Structures are given as C-alpha cells and as structure tokens.
Amino acid sequence: MTMLGTNYYEIGRRYEKVSETYNRSYILGVDIKQKDTPFVVAIGGHHSDIGVIKISCKELVSDKWNDHIIKSGCEAFVLNLKTAIEQGETFPQKFILNLIAKNP
C-alpha cells in the first residue's frame, strides 16, 4: 500500500484508456483514523483534473460505488469489508489493519 497524501493508504488504483494520450485513474484509499468518512474515491478528469470525495463504510459497501470499485480493482477488498461488517467488526476492521501492517 502506498500513501495518498499524509492520511490515506491506497487500496487500489487502475486506469481506463480515454484517448490515445490519456488514461483516467480510479483510486480507492482509506484513512484508518477517520471513523465517519474513512474512504476516499478519486477519479481522474481530463489530464490534470481529478475529482475526490470522502465516503463512509456504509456508502462504500452500498451499490452506489460498484462501478468505481471494479474500475479501481478493489472488489476483493470491498467483499472482505462487507463480511467484516456483517460479523460485527467496527472500523478499522482487523483485515484493513493487517493490510496496512504488511504493506506500509
């Protein structure tokens, strides 16, 4: 995992070819110290533009972000998050802490 700024760990990043010279980025990150809106989704705009929004665990596991999750390559991560939430784990879930510990 790499860092996104100073607070967010990058969970996944992939690119979609938009034109011959531009690939749009799809990024998912997590801030383990932020309990209300710990996740950040970022989407590349046009060349140097980028859109970023902070979202909650509940919103990430809803169907609203499925396209972004697939495009950023984070399907397994979100499936693990859903399972951890269903088992009653609170944020930050153990598997997230383990990911960060293995890939500082």
Side-chain angles (χ1 to χ4, degrees):
M1 292 182 137
T2 61
M3 292 297 293
L4 297 170
T6 57
N7 298 327
Y8 288 90
Y9 293 92
E10 183 177 308
I11 298 166
R13 175 192 305 238
R14 288 200 179 149
Y15 297 90
E16 174 183 52
K17 188 171 185 82
V18 175
S19 70
E20 194 64 36
T21 59
Y22 181 67
N23 292 320
R24 176 177 293 135
S25 58
Y26 290 86
I27 303 168
L28 179 64
V30 63
D31 178 352
I32 60 169
K33 295 178 183 174
Q34 177 60 257
K35 294 195 184 287
D36 294 330
T37 53
F39 294 98
V40 63
V41 292
I43 303 167
H46 182 66
H47 300 289
S48 63
D49 298 338
I50 194 163
V52 179
I53 186 168
K54 293 170 35 173
I55 61 174
S56 67
C57 286
K58 184 177 178 180
E59 188 172 358
L60 182 63
V61 299
S62 73
D63 292 337
K64 181 177 181 179
W65 292 99
N66 283 350
D67 190 47
H68 185 89
I69 291 164
I70 292 166
K71 289 183 177 183
S72 63
C74 296
E75 301 99 315
F77 176 86
V78 173
L79 184 59
N80 286 336
L81 181 61
K82 285 180 181 179
T83 301
I85 291 170
E86 288 170 0
Q87 293 176 349
E89 287 189 50
T90 58
F91 185 84
Q93 288 78 4
K94 187 185 292 186
F95 87 96
I96 295 174
L97 296 173
N98 288 340
L99 279 175
I100 291 168
K102 289 178 188 176
N103 302 298

